[in-house]
Amino acid sequence: MEFIQKRDRLILTLISQSGPGGIDANTLFSALSVYMDRESIQRSIGDLYFKGYINVLNNGGEIRYFASRQVRDAMISLEVQKYRIASYVNELSKKKDEIIQIQDRAKQLEELKNVVTKGLNLISIGLINLYSSLPELTLPEYIESIQPLVDVLGKLTKIVEPSYSKEDLENILKIVERFRGEKDYKLLKEIVEKVENVSNENKNT
């Protein structure tokens, strides 16, 4: 599967947002003139037309562009997933203040883990649902829209994720060795062992 280029996605999204009535050529070119020249817009429109993403109607000299039914249905799916993510972000913002107030460290981590897990599940469900809804258009749009949330959850995951077992660490280091060589493997293994020793010393004190 090959994603639609960002320039073409911008044009396709703008046309689809105009609904079943489509958008006239003058309005479309005017809206896009900030991002690209007329020649680039025409070239993209031609590509989108021949791929079946849009239809063109010339009615007495007025040219209108319409997104296909498949594209508009895919955009509905995308907007629903983006709405669910936006609702979660609002919830996360409120929940953050509540979690900070919790005095019990174990309880605090448990609540944080629940919130993070919910976010990761939402993202996963969104990706799965969009995979069947014109993914060449919806997936890159979705991934771009959730990037700030992914960055936040990535940091929070490091706080709540369980420690790797010794066997897991060794297997991960072996992967590093395969791609980076024995020297980096030994260096990382030494670092991991030092971190483990420090962690064990802290637990014992």
Side-chain angles (χ1 to χ4, degrees), residues 78-196:
L78 174 63
E79 290 302 319
V80 168
Q81 297 306 324
K82 288 168 70 173
Y83 169 78
R84 295 182 70 190
I85 290 295
S87 297
Y88 168 76
V89 169
N90 288 334
E91 179 187 342
L92 179 63
S93 179
K94 295 175 183 176
K95 203 76 177 175
K96 176 192 67 176
D97 295 332
E98 294 177 17
I99 292 173
I100 290 174
Q101 300 301 320
I102 298 175
Q103 300 298 320
D104 187 320
R105 177 64 174 169
K107 178 68 174 174
Q108 188 180 55
L109 286 175
E110 184 63 27
E111 288 294 320
L112 183 59
K113 182 179 180 180
N114 291 337
V115 173
V116 171
T117 299
K118 181 177 180 179
L120 295 175
N121 286 341
L122 266 179
I123 290 173
S124 300
I125 291 169
L127 289 170
I128 292 169
N129 288 339
L130 294 177
Y131 191 76
S132 59
S133 300
L134 207 64
E136 61 268 33
L137 167 64
T138 57
L139 284 183
E141 288 290 314
Y142 182 66
I143 291 169
E144 286 183 10
S145 70
I146 64 173
Q147 191 57 57
L149 176 59
V150 170
D151 292 340
V152 171
L153 290 180
K155 293 174 182 176
L156 294 177
T157 300
K158 292 177 182 177
I159 299 173
V160 299
E161 67 181 355
S163 302
Y164 288 112
S165 68
K166 199 155 191 173
E167 182 181 358
D168 287 337
L169 284 172
E170 184 60 32
N171 287 331
I172 292 170
L173 288 171
K174 285 292 183 183
I175 294 172
V176 173
E177 181 183 20
R178 190 194 319 160
F179 291 99
R180 298 281 294 271
E182 186 179 3
K183 183 178 179 181
D184 282 359
Y185 162 76
K186 288 181 176 179
L187 177 62
L188 283 173
K189 187 172 183 179
E190 184 180 335
I191 292 172
V192 168
E193 288 173 348
K194 284 182 179 179
V195 170
E196 283 183 333

Side-chain angles (χ1 to χ4, degrees), residues 20-87:
I23 185 171
D24 69 88
N26 290 335
T27 303
L28 179 66
F29 280 85
S30 176
L32 294 169
S33 62
V34 178
Y35 308 103
M36 60 193 88
D37 57 40
R38 193 176 186 86
E39 184 179 341
S40 296
I41 298 171
Q42 289 174 325
R43 186 165 56 250
S44 286
I45 288 173
D47 290 341
L48 293 170
Y49 172 77
F50 285 112
K51 289 176 181 176
Y53 294 130
I54 64 171
N55 298 307
V56 183
L57 175 66
N58 189 338
N59 186 13
E62 183 194 45
I63 299 175
R64 296 190 72 82
Y65 302 106
F66 305 82
S68 70
R69 176 67 178 271
Q70 182 188 22
V71 168
R72 284 182 280 124
D73 286 348
M75 289 301 296
I76 291 172
S77 297
L78 174 63
E79 290 302 319
V80 168
Q81 297 306 324
K82 288 168 70 173
Y83 169 78
R84 295 182 70 190
I85 290 295
S87 297

